[in-house]
Amino acid sequence: MAKKKKTFAIIGANNLGISIARELDKKKQLVNLFDINEDKLNLYMDEFEFVEGIIADCTIKRTLEKNGVGQFDSVIVCMGSNINSSLTVTLNLIDLGIDNFLVQTNDDKHKRMLLALGLKETQIIIPNEISGKLIATKSLFDIDVDVQSIDDEYIFVKLDLLEETNFDKTIQDNNLAANKEFTIVQIRRDGKIIIPDEYTMLKEKDLLYIFAKNTIINDLVLKICGVA
């Protein structure tokens, strides 16, 4: 008997939401990806087989009800950079009696608010901590993270932001927003790790961790470092 596919609702097409959708799509799970921004959803839909993009404002409880959010095996809220929207969606899920959900948070303040709403620690996703543990492990065992092959098509690379024209501008304004060819997974700045979105400001001496196609690396090096 074939194993039954699970169903997932991902609320928010930020970097984390897209990354989770990609992994679930590879595993042939059924995913509904919700975001209020149609253009953002359209950037990614062609690459998915089992992910359906749904344009919706999930801060409105009725919208969640109409889209059958209670019928999913799991709901993942990926709106860490927008605390107000994240809290509103969380309250909507609680009001609807849904308890099988996870919520992304990027800082302790947001986490404390979620805990105050009654969420368990296990329901809260902190990408910064996850990324930090990963990088610490790589450093501890002296694993090369400058360029690490993922497969024949993609690599994981870290690049220093040296090109002055990129300083003090957002990722979007620098034409470096996540797309089908590359994604800035995280930024290391002054010893801290930042999980970016398209509105994150880039600063001099930022270290960018990027997942990209092999064919685009030379262009990225030129764009970010100023040298090929």
Side-chain angles (χ1 to χ4, degrees):
M1 181 182 294
K3 187 175 180 180
K4 181 180 179 295
K5 290 183 173 67
K6 288 190 174 183
T7 58
F8 297 84
I10 298 175
I11 300 174
N14 64 8
N15 284 351
L16 179 64
I18 294 298
S19 296
I20 294 171
R22 283 196 181 110
E23 290 305 311
L24 292 173
D25 190 66
K26 290 176 186 176
K27 293 174 171 52
K28 300 183 179 181
Q29 303 303 304
L30 303 176
V31 179
N32 280 12
L33 178 61
F34 296 86
D35 200 281
I36 196 171
N37 189 324
E38 181 178 3
D39 291 336
K40 185 187 292 187
L41 284 174
N42 288 339
L43 279 175
Y44 305 102
M45 286 304 102
D46 287 346
E47 72 179 83
F48 295 130
E49 183 178 358
F50 299 96
V51 178
E52 179 182 358
I54 298 176
I55 305 161
D57 183 356
C58 293
T59 62
I60 301 172
K61 183 163 61 174
R62 180 60 182 153
T63 299
L64 293 173
E65 289 182 296
K66 286 173 61 178
N67 283 281
V69 72
Q71 304 303 312
F72 292 93
D73 292 309
S74 183
V75 179
I76 307 170
V77 181
C78 297
M79 307 173 80
S81 61
N82 190 331
I83 293 179
N84 289 336
S85 293
S86 174
L87 292 174
T88 301
V89 172
T90 300
L91 284 169
N92 287 341
L93 294 173
I94 293 171
D95 286 346
L96 292 170
I98 296 166
D99 56 13
N100 57 328
F101 67 92
L102 304 173
V103 182
Q104 174 198 5
T105 176
N106 288 344
D107 56 50
D108 287 338
K109 178 182 177 182
H110 190 182
K111 178 182 177 180
R112 289 197 300 271
M113 290 178 178
L114 293 172
L115 291 172
L117 292 177
L119 271 67
K120 302 174 183 176
E121 290 269 0
T122 53
Q123 288 181 274
I124 300 173
I125 307 168
I126 309 176
N128 302 45
E129 290 187 3
I130 296 171
S131 299
K133 289 176 182 177
L134 175 62
I135 293 172
T137 300
K138 290 178 180 293
S139 300
L140 179 63
F141 293 101
D142 197 26
I143 299 173
D144 181 13
V145 293
D146 287 326
V147 177
Q148 180 183 347
S149 293
I150 303 297
D151 55 31
D152 292 337
E153 188 176 3
Y154 289 92
I155 65 171
F156 182 70
V157 61
K158 67 177 183 181
L159 298 174
D160 289 300
L161 186 67
L162 302 175
E163 175 53 47
E164 295 180 359
T165 58
N166 296 317
F167 297 167
D168 301 316
K169 292 163 61 178
T170 66
I171 287 176
Q172 181 172 266
D173 289 339
N174 279 312
N175 296 318
L176 291 171
N179 57 56
K180 296 177 183 178
E181 295 187 313
F182 68 90
T183 299
I184 299 176
V185 179
Q186 62 187 23
I187 300 171
R188 182 181 286 273
R189 178 183 298 160
D190 297 327
K192 297 181 180 179
I193 293 173
I194 299 168
I195 304 300
D197 59 24
E198 63 267 39
Y199 304 112
T200 300
M201 193 75 69
L202 294 178
K203 299 289 185 180
E204 184 178 1
K205 297 182 180 179
D206 277 353
L207 180 60
L208 311 183
Y209 289 78
I210 302 171
F211 182 69
K213 284 188 175 181
N214 295 326
T215 54
I216 200 71
I217 288 300
N218 286 339
D219 290 338
L220 283 176
V221 171
L222 181 62
K223 170 70 176 173
I224 293 169
C225 304
V227 294

